[in-house]
Amino acid sequence: MRLPGGLVEGDTRRRDWAFRPVSGELELAVAEAGEASATMPLAVTRALAVALRHLAGVAPNETRVADLCVGDRQFLMRELDRHLGSEGGWFEADCPQCGQRFDFEVAYADLPVQEAGPGFPCARVDMEGRQFRFRLPTGADQQGLTAQPEARAHAWLLGRLIQEGDLPEVPGQDLIAAAEGALESIAPGIVSKVQAACPSCGTINEVELDPYRVLSRRTDSLLQEVHQIALHYHWSEADILRLPRPRRLQYLRLIDRARGMAA
Ligand SMILES: [Zn+2]
C-alpha cells in the first residue's frame, strides 16, 4: 500500500516505501529508539529511519523521515507494528463514565486509511479578503514544537507552516481555527479513534489508539533469545542479530530439541 500522503518535491509526489526484512537487528533498533529517545517525534524518526529500506524513491535518512507529514509517520509506525508481527490486539483505556480501566481489542486490518485531499500538502484559507496558504505539519515541526513554551506554540507553528500570505505577529484564534480546519480537511492519516464498550458500565466510549505503540516493544525477550543461541553455538551478538527472524526462531527450536534429547 502506498503512503497516504507522500513526499512532494517539485511537481512530483512520491508515495513508495518498503521496510527492511525483520531481523534481530531491526527489532532491537526499534525497541531502543523507543527506550532511548528524548521525545516521541525523535523516537519515531529514528525508528522509521532504521526500519525503512527505501522511502519516496531513495534510501531514507532521518531528515527525510522527519519531512514526512504526521499522518504518513503514524501510518508507517502502525505498518511497522504489523511488520514486526502485531495485527492489532489489546489496547487499554479509562472509561470517562465510571473511571474503570478496561481492555478492548482492535484489528489493524479493519481500520481504514484516509488518503490526502486535493492540494496536498498545502491548504488555502480565505479570511475576510485575506488569502493564506499553509502546509501540513511534519515530524520536524513536531520535534521543534517540543522546545516551544505552550503559550507560544500555536503562533510558532503557524509561522512555520505559512507558505503564502502575511501572517499577523500574533495570529487570532479565528485564523488559527481556520488554518487547522483547512489542513485537517486535506490531511492523510490512519484512524486513531474507535468505539469501545466499557465492560463495567456498558457505556460506548470513543477511545484513542496509540499510533506509536510499536515503540513500547522491549528488548528483554529478544536479548534472552540471543543469549540462548550464543551459549549454544558461540556466535557473536552481531551475527545472531543479523539472522532473519524465522531462522533465529528455527535455531531456538533446534536448541530446545537438542536439550530434550540430552535430558
Ligand atoms: Zn465504564
Side-chain angles (χ1 to χ4, degrees):
M1 185 180 192
R2 297 187 302 163
L3 287 175
L7 282 178
V8 176
E9 287 152 325
D11 290 336
T12 315
R13 176 175 163 205
R14 291 183 201 277
R15 302 173 61 187
D16 59 291
W17 62 279
F19 286 135
R20 296 175 190 285
V22 179
S23 64
E25 229 173 6
L26 175 58
E27 290 169 273
L28 189 65
V30 171
E32 285 181 344
E35 284 172 357
S37 303
T39 64
M40 182 60 79
L42 206 54
V44 172
T45 296
R46 285 191 182 146
L48 289 178
V50 293
L52 286 163
R53 191 178 61 205
H54 74 88
L55 172 65
V58 296
N61 55 40
E62 290 193 4
T63 309
R64 205 164 169 78
V65 170
D67 280 343
L68 287 170
C69 72
V70 175
D72 277 340
R73 286 160 58 91
Q74 295 188 343
F75 165 79
L76 285 173
M77 288 301 276
R78 187 170 291 172
E79 289 302 308
L80 183 56
D81 207 9
R82 301 175 79 170
H83 187 57
L84 295 184
S86 166
E87 280 303 323
W90 292 93
F91 287 75
E92 276 190 334
D94 293 311
C95 176
Q97 195 62 36
C98 70
Q100 283 286 332
R101 170 148 288 217
F102 66 99
D103 296 326
F104 59 98
E105 201 175 8
V106 170
Y108 285 153
D110 295 343
L111 302 175
V113 175
Q114 178 69 44
E115 297 263 327
F120 172 86
C122 293
R124 291 187 179 281
V125 171
D126 195 332
M127 196 170 232
E128 294 153 7
R130 292 174 300 158
Q131 270 95 43
F132 303 92
R133 195 165 64 99
F134 296 97
R135 65 165 172 79
L136 283 168
T138 63
D141 298 319
Q142 282 183 310
Q143 174 58 26
L145 209 48
T146 62
Q148 295 299 316
E150 212 178 315
R152 288 205 52 228
H154 279 301
W156 179 87
L157 186 60
L158 273 198
R160 299 242 320 176
L161 304 183
I162 186 91
Q163 306 293 296
E164 277 174 44
D166 289 323
L167 204 59
E169 193 154 335
V170 183
Q173 282 305 320
D174 47 350
L175 180 56
I176 292 173
E180 278 176 357
L183 288 172
E184 208 166 291
S185 73
I186 60 140
I190 53 174
V191 168
S192 61
K193 288 190 180 125
V194 295
Q195 310 279 322
C198 166
S200 302
C201 71
T203 308
I204 308 280
N205 297 304
E206 190 174 73
V207 290
E208 199 86 33
L209 297 178
D210 177 7
Y212 306 124
R213 192 172 71 145
V214 67
L215 289 175
S216 55
R217 285 172 178 262
R218 291 292 162 254
T219 53
D220 313 16
S221 62
L222 173 64
L223 294 183
Q224 177 64 34
E225 291 175 15
V226 172
H227 169 73
Q228 263 189 306
I229 294 175
L231 269 183
H232 198 86
Y233 295 110
H234 310 290
W235 298 337
S236 74
E237 184 200 45
D239 286 344
I240 297 167
L241 286 174
R242 266 197 295 272
L243 292 171
R245 181 159 64 184
R247 218 186 310 156
R248 186 178 79 231
L249 298 180
Q250 214 168 334
Y251 281 121
L252 286 165
R253 281 192 293 273
L254 288 173
I255 293 169
D256 260 0
R257 207 184 300 164
R259 280 215 194 102
M261 282 182 206

